[in-house]
Structures are given as C-alpha cells and as structure tokens.
Amino acid sequence: MMKLPCMSSLLLVLSLVSVFVSGFGKRLPILSFDEGYSQLFGDDNLVLHRDGKSVHLSLNERTGSGFVSQDLYLHGYFSASIKLPADYTAGVVVAFYMSNGDIFEKNHDEIDFEFLGNIRGKDWRIQTNIYGNGSTSVGREERYNLWFDPADDFHQYSILWTDSQIIFYVDNIPIREFKRTAAMGGDFPFKPMSLYATIWDGSDWATNGGKYRVNYKYAPYVAEFSDLILHGCAVDPIEFLSKKCDATSQSLELSATNTITPSQRSKLDSFRRKHMTYAYCYDQTRYKVPPMECAINPKEAERLKKFDPVTFGGGRHHHGKRHHQSRSSRSESHII
C-alpha cells in the first residue's frame, strides 16, 4: 500500500490557500529550468532562453518536445506563463498538466490544461480535464474560448490542487472549480504527480475531430514558457514520503473552503457564462445520467442547451458529429 506523506502536506495545502487568498500568488518563487525541471523528450526541440528562465518547446515533422518536474508533488500551486504558436495551428496540442501515468499505468491520476490549435482565422481553444485512479472512461472535459489571443503574448495558467478541490486559473481568474465528493471515491486525484509541459501532434482528434490536421509547412510550431512556479509538497518517488514542504505551512490553519473569494467567485461565474462551450456534466449524448460528482447549475444547463441543443438538449446527433475525449499519455507516444 502506498504510504501517504506526512501531516505537513496537509498544512501546506492550507498555506497555499492563504497565499492565494492574500494575493501573494504573483510573488511565489520563480524557478529556472535547471532548478526544477528536466527535458522529457524532443532533443534540440527544447531550447532554453534568458539563462534558463524561459523555455521554448517546438513541434516539427520529426518530433514534438516536452519537459517534466524533477520532483513528484502531493498537492500544491503550479503555474507558468505561456505564449502559444500563431497562424495556422490546426492539430497542434500544447499541454500543461500533472500526471503520474509513468508510475501508475493502470490507475493514474491527471490534471490537465490542454490548448487546442485551429485553422487560420479561428481561435485557440482551451480544455481542462481531470482523471483519478485511472477513470479515463469518464472524461471530465470542459472547453472554453478565451477573451484574448493566447498567441499574441504571455498569459498565466495555474493549477491549485488540494485534498478537497482543484481550481484552474487563467491570469489569476478562476475558470473551473472541481470539488471532491464522497460519491467519487478514488476518482479524485490523490496520488503524487509530476508536472509536465509538452507540444505534440494531435491531428487525429484535436481540431474538428481530426478533420484538420497539422500542416508542417508552417512548422516549427513554438510554444514559449516562462515564470515557472512549483509550489507544493515534494515527495520521495519510491517511498512517497515528504521530502520538503513550505516552512510557513506549519503555523497556518485556514480552511480550503475559503480559497475562492466573493470577487473571484463573481469572475468565475462571468467567465463560464461568457466563454464555456462544453462541459461533460451536461452532455446528454454521452451520459444519460450525469456522473456522480456533477452538481448541475440550471443556468449553465440552459445556456449550453441553447448553444448546442443536440449535445446538451438530449436531441439526436447528426451523422459525423461527435465529441472526442482528450488523449492521455500524450508524451509517451512521441518519445523515440
């Protein structure tokens, strides 16, 4: 049986809550590449800039590329400023995510930011997804448009993972809150994970279900990463015992329920109302009954039903229209 990290891990979770609510998220330590990461794959398609404070990942006909944190973490705040490739990006997938699939092949956990490219003139789309204990058959995807062009400049994308909830942020605005429920059992991510960043060819599914594929005449596709933050409880990869935790965690007793302030809650609701285009909880073509963790918001249900009555209204799908789940193990298939 896997050993759980020490009590300081839980205290770290509480300190992270305090840090974020107090507005110190922007002041957390920024690491250089060598301080916290290692190359995952891609040979010279990974290039360091600014003395290792910026990382360029590229995709060409030969390979994609990626990097991974040197440590495993149980809970924490993980962030990067990312600038995506411009122009024609159909089929291109940029991912910023946590996973332990290399350790737990059949019951892995995963927390995903995925950026899905598009044809010229169409915007990048952002997808979040969560797996726990190998529950890949439930794909918990949500998709959104953004209020800016993510290829024009850097924007911050962050994951806050605690024992009770997961929150995704874009430029410090919460866009999704996923709470742990008793009914989920082990489907909530609960095992230590590494942080990954990759760019890869998702032609088979990423753009209009594979209709538009990567066009390598526009290669190389380059995704830029900077302001890298790994603020969590690192654990030993063999014993899963705590290696190091934030010292400030030991004196804090703040409840995780206070993570999202009223102001942030308003921004969360506004983002979802204006920009969310898909949510698995409301997909009546995939689920006759919503998965056990879903808390149905009638306003969200009505808006999505008007947006896509076939998917969210329970109507019949036309031939050729279907929803594609995201791919797990996105790095392994590109390692040669």
Side-chain angles (χ1 to χ4, degrees):
M1 180 178 293
M2 182 187 72
K3 297 179 182 179
L4 294 178
C6 62
M7 186 62 182
S8 59
S9 173
L10 176 58
L11 293 173
L12 172 67
V13 171
L14 304 180
S15 77
L16 291 169
V17 172
S18 178
V19 165
F20 217 89
V21 170
S22 301
F24 293 121
K26 297 178 182 179
R27 291 158 50 185
L28 292 173
I30 294 173
L31 301 179
S32 67
F33 183 84
D34 291 338
E35 289 177 307
Y37 306 88
S38 299
Q39 183 164 0
L40 181 66
F41 70 107
D43 299 326
D44 55 1
N45 280 18
L46 184 153
V47 180
L48 301 182
H49 295 266
R50 295 173 47 223
D51 295 325
K53 292 295 178 67
S54 178
V55 187
H56 289 194
L57 297 180
S58 62
L59 166 68
N60 57 25
E61 286 183 282
R62 183 174 56 85
T63 184
S65 53
F67 60 86
V68 60
S69 63
Q70 295 171 10
D71 284 324
L72 287 164
Y73 295 89
L74 183 68
H75 308 134
Y77 175 73
F78 310 93
S79 184
S81 292
I82 306 172
K83 183 179 179 183
L84 299 175
D87 206 352
Y88 183 98
T89 55
V92 177
V93 179
V94 176
F96 180 70
Y97 66 106
M98 305 194 73
S99 178
N100 49 34
D102 57 335
I103 300 174
F104 303 98
E105 294 183 5
K106 296 183 179 179
N107 61 333
H108 83 288
D109 307 297
E110 197 166 311
I111 304 173
D112 300 336
F113 263 119
E114 292 178 307
F115 306 93
L116 310 179
N118 219 327
I119 59 175
R120 183 182 285 115
K122 300 290 185 179
D123 296 331
W124 280 86
R125 292 143 302 140
I126 184 172
Q127 176 166 285
T128 61
N129 206 348
I130 296 164
Y131 297 124
N133 208 29
S135 57
T136 56
S137 61
V138 180
R140 296 180 173 91
E141 304 98 327
E142 288 189 354
R143 284 191 183 184
Y144 328 88
N145 297 318
L146 294 169
W147 64 95
F148 54 82
D149 183 348
D152 274 352
D153 205 348
F154 287 91
H155 292 269
Q156 185 181 20
Y157 305 90
S158 311
I159 297 168
L160 178 64
W161 172 37
T162 77
D163 183 60
S164 61
Q165 61 186 342
I166 296 164
I167 303 174
F168 296 88
Y169 297 86
V170 176
D171 288 340
N172 294 317
I173 295 173
I175 67 168
R176 181 179 184 182
E177 179 184 31
F178 186 83
K179 293 185 176 182
R180 185 176 196 162
T181 65
M184 290 184 66
D187 281 4
F188 187 91
F190 68 94
K191 300 185 292 294
M193 291 189 278
S194 301
L195 182 76
Y196 294 83
T198 58
I199 185 170
W200 54 287
D201 185 330
S203 290
D204 291 344
W205 68 277
T207 307
N208 287 50
K211 179 179 180 181
Y212 300 101
R213 305 179 66 82
V214 174
N215 187 336
Y216 283 103
K217 80 175 185 179
Y218 297 101
Y221 297 96
V222 180
E224 304 175 41
F225 292 77
S226 66
D227 298 336
L228 302 170
I229 295 175
L230 291 170
H231 190 76
C233 189
V235 299
D236 183 271
I238 298 176
E239 295 292 331
F240 294 111
L241 297 175
S242 174
K243 290 172 58 179
K244 54 185 177 180
C245 287
D246 190 326
T248 62
S249 67
Q250 298 180 11
S251 62
L252 296 171
E253 298 178 359
L254 194 61
S255 170
T257 57
N258 293 325
T259 303
I260 295 184
T261 65
S263 174
Q264 288 178 317
R265 177 72 60 190
S266 177
K267 292 178 180 179
L268 170 69
D269 293 341
S270 177
F271 174 85
R272 295 174 71 81
R273 184 173 63 253
K274 295 177 181 178
H275 299 288
M276 187 168 69
T277 61
Y278 178 85
Y280 77 105
C281 282
Y282 304 99
D283 189 337
Q284 297 183 32
T285 64
R286 291 174 74 188
Y287 306 110
K288 293 182 179 180
V289 177
M292 63 190 82
E293 72 273 7
C294 290
I296 300 300
N297 181 324
K299 291 183 179 179
E300 284 189 347
E302 186 61 25
R303 190 190 72 79
L304 288 172
K305 182 176 180 179
K306 291 179 179 179
F307 173 76
D308 185 348
V310 174
T311 300
F312 304 113
R316 296 175 59 187
H317 261 305
H318 299 294
H319 290 296
K321 184 175 183 180
R322 56 180 177 165
H323 176 75
H324 289 258
Q325 295 186 10
S326 66
R327 298 293 182 89
S328 184
S329 303
R330 56 186 65 76
S331 60
E332 288 84 344
S333 62
H334 293 268
I335 300 176
I336 300 174

